[in-house]
């Protein structure tokens, strides 16, 4: 069982470059989430998609865009990367009836 | 702004002791509450969920919820060195957002 798959696992960008983090889940979950984790900051919600076709801002959406491509896939795009976006990014999906989040392995992004 | 607050620690307990972790939340409409454990460099993993007031026990773990006080706690009995990790409190809002506290780092000393 693959669960939640994120790509890439590591990425180094220069300031101003763009990139997309990909996330896919094979558990038929309705809701998907993107978080960033910085040292001492816990997980901060960037965007989430409660169901296919909907997206909502979380706590820290500035500088990011998302696309819920279909029920399986939820991508996160950085249009013009900044050093402040250096972080570990986690994608997660939820089994709505029980509310448990299933996480991907994380993507470590460094912006120089 | 919906907030989830945890005492950041670090918290250090001797092996075999009880570790107590606390969390408060601001959104009174929240219905689901979770504790995740995260080892360094790894993804968070669920250890407890609780949905109604009172206590919920699972092995060495007990979650406590008091919605009137907007307070969730986690007790770890007979703490083991393998319990050393960061513990994250998560709260699910009524619009399906899931927000986390900053986490409490626990160290269990042999």
């Amino acid at each position: 069982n693959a669960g939640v798959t994120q790509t890439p696992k590591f990425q180094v960008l220069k300031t101003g470059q763009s990139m997309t983090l990909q996330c896919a889940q094979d558990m038929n979950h309705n809701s998907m989430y993107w978080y960033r984790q910085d040292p001492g900051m816990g997980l901060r919600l960037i965007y989430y998609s409660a169901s296919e076709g909907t997206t909502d801002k979380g706590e820290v959406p500035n500088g990011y865009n998302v696309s819920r491509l279909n029920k399986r896939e939820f991508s996160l795009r950085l249009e013009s990367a900044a050093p402040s976006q250096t972080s570990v990014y986690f994608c997660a999906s939820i089994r709505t009836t029980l509310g448990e989040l299933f996480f991907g392995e994380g993507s470590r992004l460094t912006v120089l | 702004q919906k907030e989830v607050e945890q005492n950041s620690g670090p918290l250090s307990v001797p092996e075999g002791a009880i570790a107590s972790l606390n969390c408060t939340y601001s959104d009174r409409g929240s219905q689901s509450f979770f504790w995740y454990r995260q080892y360094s460099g790894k993804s968070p993993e669920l250890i407890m969920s609780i949905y109604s007031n009172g206590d919920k026990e699972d092995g060495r773990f007990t979650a406590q919820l008091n919605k009137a006080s907007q307070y969730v706690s986690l007790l770890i009995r007979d703490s083991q060195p393998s319990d050393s990790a960061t513990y994250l409190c998560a709260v699910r809002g009524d619009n399906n957002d899931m927000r986390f506290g900053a986490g409490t780092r626990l160290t269990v000393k042999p």
Side-chain angles (χ1 to χ4, degrees), chain A residues 31 33 35 37 40-43 45 48 50 58-59 90 94 96 98-101 103-106, chain B residues 1-2 34 36 38 41-46 49 51 88 92 95-103:
Chain A
S31 303
Y33 301 76
Y35 293 91
Q37 187 171 36
M41 299 291 288
L43 290 159
L45 182 62
Y48 67 105
E59 302 165 87
F90 287 100
I94 204 165
T96 305
L98 293 179
E100 175 187 351
L101 277 172
F103 285 89
E105 293 184 343
Chain B
Q1 181 80 345
K2 301 177 185 178
F34 307 87
Y36 286 81
Q38 187 177 28
K42 301 295 186 182
S43 304
E45 55 180 342
L46 180 74
S49 59
Y51 304 97
L88 299 163
R92 182 179 178 185
N95 57 351
N96 217 24
D97 59 331
M98 184 83 90
R99 301 188 183 224
F100 286 78

Side-chain angles (χ1 to χ4, degrees), chain B residues 21-35:
Chain B
L21 304 163
N22 303 314
C23 173
T24 60
Y25 60 95
S26 64
D27 181 11
R28 284 196 172 274
S30 301
Q31 295 297 320
S32 307
F33 308 87
F34 307 87
W35 284 98

Side-chain angles (χ1 to χ4, degrees), chain B residues 17 39 46 52:
Chain B
Y39 293 112
L46 180 74
S52 56

Side-chain angles (χ1 to χ4, degrees), chain B:
Chain B
Q1 181 80 345
K2 301 177 185 178
E3 294 183 347
V4 180
E5 302 282 347
Q6 292 182 248
N7 44 336
S8 59
L11 176 65
S12 180
V13 300
E15 184 174 355
I18 295 175
S20 177
L21 304 163
N22 303 314
C23 173
T24 60
Y25 60 95
S26 64
D27 181 11
R28 284 196 172 274
S30 301
Q31 295 297 320
S32 307
F33 308 87
F34 307 87
W35 284 98
Y36 286 81
R37 177 176 62 199
Q38 187 177 28
Y39 293 112
S40 181
K42 301 295 186 182
S43 304
E45 55 180 342
L46 180 74
I47 52 173
M48 288 289 285
S49 59
I50 187 166
Y51 304 97
S52 56
N53 282 330
D55 296 357
K56 179 181 178 182
E57 186 174 319
D58 184 0
R60 297 185 294 111
F61 299 96
T62 299
Q64 299 173 316
L65 174 61
N66 183 326
K67 289 185 178 180
S69 300
Q70 295 174 250
Y71 175 86
V72 192
S73 67
L74 180 70
L75 297 177
I76 307 174
R77 290 182 300 280
D78 188 24
S79 296
Q80 300 297 309
S82 59
D83 295 326
S84 298
T86 296
Y87 289 80
L88 299 163
C89 173
V91 176
R92 182 179 178 185
D94 54 8
N95 57 351
N96 217 24
D97 59 331
M98 184 83 90
R99 301 188 183 224
F100 286 78
T104 300
R105 181 177 295 179
L106 171 66
T107 300
V108 180
K109 295 185 175 179

Side-chain angles (χ1 to χ4, degrees), chain A residues 51-91:
Chain A
S51 61
E52 186 178 355
T54 69
T55 60
D56 288 285
K57 294 179 180 179
E59 302 165 87
V60 288
N62 292 343
Y64 305 95
N65 287 300
V66 291
S67 296
R68 183 74 183 267
L69 305 170
N70 48 55
K71 191 170 185 178
R72 290 186 64 248
E73 298 172 288
F74 188 38
S75 63
L76 179 71
R77 183 162 178 83
L78 287 70
E79 290 291 351
S80 178
S84 60
Q85 294 178 305
T86 293
S87 189
V88 179
Y89 292 84
F90 287 100
C91 178

